[in-house]
Amino acid sequence: MYGQNNSRTGISGFFVPEKNSLNIGFTSFDLHCRLASREKFALDYGLRFIGATTGRRGGYFAFGYFSELILRPTKRFQPGFNAALLAGGGASAPDNDGWMTQGTLFTQYQFKSGLGLRAGLNYAFVSGGDISGFSPLLGLNWKLRTVSNFDSLT
């Protein structure tokens, strides 16, 4: 499909342990763009916003970049990995800064309609170490179709 770019957006949720056996619930919103696609893998990049929706630090948020590698992108079941580097803060940010690193191993089922369901194992670390650990991740993503015609710009 020459001239067409398939972008994706998605939402995910995960819980991360805090010090003193508390949990914080995050909701993540992503905007994916395809950087490269081959038969055996696809490489995406994009923007990610994460907001804490539950827990003692319910006001924490972070915004940044992520990259994602999806294996077998033409199949229904697609394993993959993503990593993110984010910065933020909010009233409940630990240690008054708030940078965050995140990595996820996942598998997703891609429907013909473009809808994808995702489940995986997430690791998140927030500066200072007050929020860090492994947790399950559940997500949903869908296609956004954009059309670009660079030839018409010249």
Side-chain angles (χ1 to χ4, degrees):
M1 291 195 270
Y2 176 76
Q4 291 185 349
N5 298 318
N6 286 320
S7 299
R8 302 190 69 77
T9 190
I11 182 169
S12 301
F14 57 95
F15 284 91
V16 177
E18 286 189 78
K19 286 185 177 178
N20 304 323
S21 299
L22 301 172
N23 285 319
I24 184 169
F26 285 105
T27 302
S28 168
F29 299 94
D30 295 342
L31 180 60
H32 300 238
C33 292
R34 182 74 24 110
L35 183 64
S37 184
R38 304 290 183 264
E39 185 177 331
K40 296 191 184 264
F41 74 92
L43 183 62
D44 292 355
Y45 69 97
L47 299 173
R48 175 170 291 166
F49 173 80
I50 293 178
T53 52
T54 63
R56 188 179 63 157
R57 298 186 193 278
Y60 177 78
F61 65 91
F63 181 77
Y65 301 101
F66 77 96
S67 185
E68 181 168 276
L69 178 67
I70 298 173
L71 302 176
R72 305 177 330 154
T74 59
K75 306 289 184 187
R76 292 273 177 238
F77 281 102
Q78 304 167 344
F81 169 80
N82 70 42
L85 180 61
L86 307 109
S92 298
D95 300 333
N96 297 322
D97 55 12
W99 62 266
M100 177 181 199
T101 57
Q102 181 191 19
T104 306
L105 284 170
F106 64 87
T107 187
Q108 69 182 12
Y109 183 81
Q110 199 68 48
F111 293 95
K112 287 182 182 180
S113 65
L115 183 68
L117 297 175
R118 179 177 288 195
L121 180 64
N122 180 78
Y123 180 79
F125 178 84
V126 176
S127 58
D130 286 340
I131 303 170
S132 65
F134 289 93
S135 64
L137 175 132
L138 294 174
L140 180 67
N141 60 64
W142 55 93
K143 280 186 179 181
L144 296 175
R145 182 162 292 199
T146 60
V147 177
S148 61
N149 187 354
F150 294 108
D151 294 335
S152 67
L153 297 175
T154 56

